[in-house]
Amino acid sequence: MSSQAPTPRRVAVVGAGMVGLSTAWFLQEHGIEVDVYDRDGVAAGSSWGNAGWITPGISTPLPDPAVLSYGIKAVISPASPVYVPVTTDPRLLKFLATFTRNSTMRRWSRSMRSLVPINGHALPAFDDLAAGGVGATALEATSFIAGYRTRSETEFLLTELEHIAASGQDVGFEELTGDEVRSAEPTFSDQIGAGIRLLGQRYVNPGEYVDALAASVRARGGTIHEGTRVTGITDETKGVRLALDQAGTQAVDAVVVATGTWLDELARPFGVREHVQAGRGYSFSVPIEHTPRGPVYLPAQRIACTPLGDRLRVAGMMEFRAPDAALDPRRITAIVDAARPFLTGVDLDDRQDEWVGSRPCTSDGLPLIGRTSSPRVLVAGGHGMWGMTLGPATGRLLAQTIATGRPAPELTPFDPLR
């Protein structure tokens, strides 16, 4: 939108996950009326079953040099933390080739520097939501510990933290012995011989938080149309028209496409060529004897655990396959087998809420946020593993862009037309 463009009176947001609802909420802060549309419902996609970490300190590009250490035999094994089924899908093969090319230190560092400014908005944006009446809280992680079998295994994360700091990202941490890890967090077993405590991070129950965000959008006059799929967008002279399945059309001044893994479908006609690939993650919850004071992290196993009341959500895996593929029970088994030696007081066999969801991933690890070839059609997606962390920051900056007609400079690296 040019600086001369009038502030739109009514904006549609397509997608009722963390990113879409945050955008709707912050648009309301600027006095803009919002209608939110979702093909299923609030938090029906990857916003429900993820780990719920709010961790700007470690929000980093997904393509990193560690990816290059995986061999072909590893990534085609269903037990691997990163799983790529054998495929002939040309779009997935192209994505994987580009993703691999971006998994170098030089490109990672460049992308990391691009993320630092928006990471800086993450926690203040959550504070804005809390002050504005969203009835759920992003909890301070009084204990956020990454546990390792040996001291030498910590070197990878320590090196990554050095690179993060060198990029300008503020991240605090402390090194711990195995005894210090277990003293601080008894959920770790005696197989843990070293650890790193991350400082200044938060966490949420993601489903509850997004539901509370939706309730706030409604309470402030917004309408959320659940079970309503937007099948197309037509750019008109003074606005856009949405085609709705079984519900005719709807005219609005502008639209934000925040459909996660399904972003391509609506955004591609408006010049967005970057494919958003499903990076599927799995989770389940189990009973625990001791409630951790924050997230429990097993980096070597790529497993993230989060306390949700009297249960522990256990999440992990990165699976590049179709977003609507059925849950693969082998992936749940792989998480259980990998986590079992390192956790205690956790009944991994009493699982509930087994779930798979699709993280929206881009091949360069940067989200797509901003206007398309039409100034009235904007997108917000492709956040990979950081949609919960960066959803409110994205919404705040994109709403500012829409309301003022001036693109927020923090969003420049995320140009959807790049």
Side-chain angles (χ1 to χ4, degrees):
M1 292 180 183
S2 70
S3 58
Q4 290 76 36
T7 299
R9 183 184 64 83
R10 186 179 184 190
V11 173
V13 178
V14 188
M18 183 62 150
V19 174
L21 288 170
S22 294
T23 303
W25 195 94
F26 281 101
L27 284 168
Q28 291 175 316
E29 287 288 275
H30 292 276
I32 296 172
E33 297 178 24
V34 295
D35 287 271
V36 181
Y37 295 87
D38 196 280
R39 59 194 292 168
D40 296 311
V42 171
S46 59
S47 289
W48 186 85
N50 63 79
W53 290 6
I54 312 303
T55 51
I58 55 171
S59 295
T60 60
L62 187 58
D64 68 56
V67 172
L68 302 180
S69 68
Y70 285 89
I72 295 298
K73 290 184 178 179
V75 298
I76 64 174
S77 166
S80 171
V82 179
Y83 176 45
V84 182
V86 176
T87 181
T88 57
D89 179 353
R91 190 164 58 173
L92 175 55
L93 291 172
K94 180 180 178 182
F95 171 86
L96 292 171
T98 308
F99 186 94
T100 301
R101 285 199 301 272
N102 285 318
S103 299
T104 65
M105 181 51 65
R106 182 179 63 83
R107 294 191 179 188
W108 182 94
S109 296
R110 182 178 63 193
S111 295
M112 184 67 232
R113 289 192 297 272
S114 297
L115 286 169
V116 169
I118 194 172
N119 284 346
H121 284 270
L123 299 185
F126 273 95
D127 293 339
D128 286 350
L129 293 172
V134 174
T137 304
L139 302 170
E140 295 290 341
T142 55
S143 172
F144 191 133
I145 298 178
Y148 294 87
R149 191 191 301 268
T150 65
R151 171 65 179 77
S152 63
E153 287 185 355
T154 67
E155 289 300 324
F156 181 83
L157 181 55
L158 289 173
T159 300
E160 184 176 52
L161 291 170
E162 290 178 5
H163 290 310
I164 292 172
S167 299
Q169 176 70 51
D170 182 25
V171 54
F173 64 93
E174 300 169 346
E175 295 185 61
L176 305 174
T177 66
D179 289 340
E180 289 171 335
V181 168
R182 285 184 293 277
S183 175
E185 187 43 73
T187 303
F188 286 106
S189 77
D190 59 9
Q191 293 296 306
I192 296 297
I196 298 172
R197 177 188 283 122
L198 299 172
L199 307 175
Q201 310 305 302
R202 304 181 192 178
Y203 66 100
V204 298
N205 180 324
E208 287 184 2
Y209 192 93
V210 178
D211 282 343
L213 183 55
S216 184
V217 169
R218 289 187 175 109
R220 288 147 54 100
T223 303
I224 300 177
H225 307 267
E226 299 184 85
T228 303
R229 182 183 174 196
V230 175
T231 58
I233 300 170
T234 303
D235 193 8
E236 299 184 335
T237 304
K238 295 184 179 181
V240 296
R241 184 168 296 276
L242 310 181
L244 310 175
D245 64 337
Q246 304 177 358
T249 66
Q250 180 63 58
V252 291
D253 298 320
V255 61
V256 176
V257 180
T259 50
T261 304
W262 291 271
L263 190 142
D264 290 12
E265 179 182 350
L266 294 176
R268 190 166 292 275
F270 297 95
V272 179
R273 296 290 177 251
E274 177 72 35
H275 171 52
V276 178
Q277 170 65 41
R280 302 189 341 146
Y282 286 74
S283 74
F284 51 85
S285 72
V286 292
I288 45 177
E289 294 176 4
H290 161 81
T291 301
R293 294 184 297 135
V296 171
Y297 185 21
L298 297 170
Q301 290 73 35
R302 294 184 178 247
I303 292 174
C305 306
T306 309
L308 302 180
D310 61 352
R311 297 182 72 82
L312 187 72
R313 174 166 289 170
V314 183
M317 301 295 171
M318 176 63 73
E319 178 182 77
F320 291 120
R321 66 192 307 181
D324 52 359
L327 181 147
D328 186 342
R330 297 175 299 175
R331 307 295 282 152
I332 298 289
T333 299
I335 295 174
V336 170
D337 291 345
R340 194 183 297 276
F342 305 105
L343 303 177
T344 187
V346 177
D347 187 353
L348 289 165
D349 298 317
D350 184 7
R351 297 188 294 277
Q352 295 179 9
D353 303 319
E354 292 187 352
W355 174 90
V356 61
S358 297
R359 310 176 187 96
C361 300
T362 61
S363 61
D364 62 4
L366 298 178
L368 305 168
I369 311 170
R371 61 182 175 183
T372 65
S373 59
S374 166
R376 292 170 288 275
V377 179
L378 302 95
V379 300
H383 291 76
M385 297 171 63
W386 312 116
M388 293 302 293
T389 295
L390 296 180
T394 295
R396 185 163 76 160
L397 293 168
L398 191 57
Q400 172 189 319
T401 295
I402 293 170
T404 66
R406 296 186 298 274
E410 296 92 336
L411 299 182
T412 300
F414 314 132
D415 182 356
L417 302 180
R418 65 181 184 269

